[in-house]
Amino acid sequence: IHGVWPDNKSVILNNCKMKFLILYLQDKKKSELDKRWPQLRYEKLYGIEKQDLWEKEFLKHGSCSINRYKQEAYFDLAMKIKDRFDLLGTLRNQGIIPGSTYELDDIERAVKTVSIEVPSLKCIQKPLGNVELNEIGI
């Protein structure tokens, strides 16, 4: 999970309010989040305790939906979406294995087996002219 980004059907909303919000998650919720949304820049225990990534994403994106999704509901929604779409599992079920080369159309078709809309595929240029899929937006 990169994040849950609310929008108003025309633009993705960012940094809406509550700049000094304190992130409060119970230990059970932290553990559930870490399984689905690990903070890869840190050792596991430090990431769970400090919650830097989760706090950043909530302040940037979750604050825009705070009237509808309080903190716990925002993170519950992120986990529910992750579980529903299981993109790595979906890609594998469609014969697309990480580390191999595929056409973007094949990846789009695979993701559309679990989503309604065409996914937003973001790629990055790697050395030697290789292109790598970096993000799938649903």
Side-chain angles (χ1 to χ4, degrees):
I1 301 174
H2 178 156
V4 177
W5 301 355
D7 65 44
N8 65 2
K9 297 187 180 182
S10 63
V11 66
I12 292 175
L13 305 172
N14 291 306
N15 303 313
C16 295
K17 51 187 156 187
M18 303 174 77
K19 298 272 185 208
F20 301 104
L21 179 71
I22 295 172
L23 190 63
Y24 175 75
L25 297 170
Q26 295 179 357
D27 288 343
K28 181 180 178 194
K29 188 70 63 188
K30 291 178 194 177
S31 179
E32 291 175 15
L33 268 171
D34 188 64
K35 289 177 190 172
R36 297 169 179 94
W37 196 350
Q39 302 190 61
L40 300 174
R41 289 189 177 174
Y42 310 104
E43 290 184 27
K44 182 176 180 162
L45 292 177
Y46 178 87
I48 289 173
E49 186 59 35
K50 297 298 181 185
Q51 307 172 42
D52 292 340
L53 172 63
W54 301 331
E55 181 178 78
K56 176 183 165 247
E57 290 302 311
F58 185 77
L59 287 173
K60 186 170 184 179
H61 302 294
S63 65
C64 297
S65 61
I66 194 76
N67 292 337
R68 184 166 185 174
Y69 298 105
K70 304 295 185 227
Q71 278 184 16
E72 187 171 349
Y74 173 81
F75 289 110
D76 286 344
L77 178 63
M79 291 188 290
K80 182 179 178 179
I81 291 170
K82 165 75 166 108
D83 293 346
R84 177 178 174 202
F85 289 103
D86 181 21
L87 292 178
L88 282 176
T90 297
L91 292 172
R92 283 189 186 100
N93 289 341
Q94 298 296 314
I96 296 173
I97 309 301
S100 299
T101 302
Y102 301 94
E103 296 292 325
L104 287 177
D105 288 346
D106 294 333
I107 296 170
E108 281 184 355
R109 266 193 298 281
V111 174
K112 279 196 70 174
T113 64
V114 294
S115 71
I116 297 170
E117 301 289 326
V118 174
S120 169
L121 303 179
K122 295 183 181 167
C123 299
I124 55 173
Q125 186 80 32
K126 298 299 270 188
L128 305 174
N130 293 324
V131 176
E132 184 177 281
L133 179 62
N134 187 45
E135 183 177 303
I136 300 174
I138 297 180

